[in-house]
Amino acid sequence: MSRPPEGVVRLAPGAVIPTADPRIVASDAAPVRLLERQIMGEPGEGPTAILALSGGGANGAYGAGVLVGWTESGQRPDFRIVTGVSTGALAAPFAFLGKAWDPQLAAAYSDGGAKDILAWRQLATFASPSLYSSSALCKLVDKAVTPELLAAVAVEHDKGRRLLVATTNLDSQETVIWDMGLIAKQGGPQGLKLFKDVLVASASIPGVFPPVLIAGRAKDGRILQEMHVDGGVNTPFLAVPESLLLWTRPAERAQAGSIWVLVNGQLGRREAVTVGRLTAILKRSYDSASKAQARAHLAANAAFAERNGLAFRVAAVPDEAEANSLDFSDASMARLFETGRQQGRTGKAWAAWKPVEAEKVATNGLIVIDAPPR
């Protein structure tokens, strides 16, 4: 993947520079000003419900199943803000558009298109920056993201709702939050291309899929090629931006709301003898690191929610379920989808996440907290 020196380019044909920049850098002060009003809601607007969809590769089939089953239960809320990271980014537009788009959400994980993502014929060339080509992933996104979907997202954006997707800018090592509704409002071929590029970038696991180069404008007006990869590199899910985590709202904004985090993966530790081979060691290390990162991120977001009077609910793949984030086979994804669907339908998927001093017990996909004995 060739890039010009310092990433500076002439504006090439097809490069998309939106008229209104949809990017928010999560570590800047801007999210505090922009997202504070959205997370807490304006006075008189009623409580804000936020749905955050995590990364997890093929385990995204579980999250899709939970949403479909939740609809079938008749208890699925309407969310003012929907966010997505990695595989959660691929599901986020459908979740944002609501129950009427459940068939498209289910098809994205069950029509067989995903099984080719890591197929041997997708192996990249020796000089490629990744093990696999992103062609199958791009085809999946091309099929799912239509002009009709883009128009529907733009309509909801005008109602004050927000669809946010996170990528990781490798050049700046920062999480970038994309306002997908703003991109959808741009419309046309360029808006559609940028919308798809952001989704592919958010799902592009470094080393597995190639990065996505997205044109951006520097403060001095130069056009830059930014290198974006999986949003999960920096954050497993996006509920509260980094710069907002330590913030406490003023007392006069004491308005109730809720955060729902759908974790497309397992959270519990699983003891097993690790085979002394490179692939086994790397896989086990990645699994351990990703679970620890998710638990830490949940604890930080739960503390924010408790401090600011927001309900905090978590769903995750049951620890006893057979799950593999890189198994995109039809059988595995169908099994996970049905697990999520049953839990969403029966209400077993969701439970409260309590402070870290409590003792956690993982049962049937629930995160149940039992207070330690006194």
Side-chain angles (χ1 to χ4, degrees), residues 186-235:
Q186 178 178 337
Q190 286 200 328
L192 189 63
K193 182 182 185 303
L194 181 56
F195 198 100
K196 292 178 179 180
D197 282 349
V198 171
L199 294 185
V200 171
S202 186
S204 293
I205 305 168
V208 178
F209 301 116
V212 177
L213 297 177
I214 300 179
R217 194 181 300 278
K219 293 180 180 179
D220 60 6
R222 296 180 302 166
I223 304 301
L224 305 178
Q225 268 190 341
E226 300 171 348
M227 182 176 283
H228 289 263
V229 297
D230 188 350
V233 169
N234 279 359
T235 182

Side-chain angles (χ1 to χ4, degrees), residues 37 226 245:
R37 296 190 301 273
E226 300 171 348
L245 278 171

Side-chain angles (χ1 to χ4, degrees), residues 81-133:
I81 301 174
V82 175
T83 74
V85 173
S86 196
T87 190
L90 303 181
F94 303 114
F96 176 73
L97 293 176
K99 306 156 192 176
W101 289 76
D102 278 0
Q104 292 90 330
L105 172 62
Y109 287 92
S110 62
D111 67 357
K115 70 178 182 296
D116 293 327
I117 287 180
L118 295 183
W120 66 267
R121 58 183 174 276
Q122 297 296 329
L123 286 169
T125 61
F126 178 75
S128 173
S130 62
L131 292 174
Y132 291 88
S133 163

Side-chain angles (χ1 to χ4, degrees), residues 19 83 120 130 178 207 241 291 302 341:
T19 51
T83 74
W120 66 267
S130 62
W178 297 83
K291 287 178 180 179
R341 184 175 184 175

Side-chain angles (χ1 to χ4, degrees), residues 242-268:
E242 177 184 333
S243 60
L244 201 56
L245 278 171
L246 298 179
W247 180 79
T248 301
R249 66 182 174 186
E252 64 270 16
R253 297 289 297 280
Q255 194 164 304
S258 57
I259 298 175
W260 304 73
V261 181
L262 183 41
V263 179
N264 290 304
Q266 296 166 319
L267 293 171

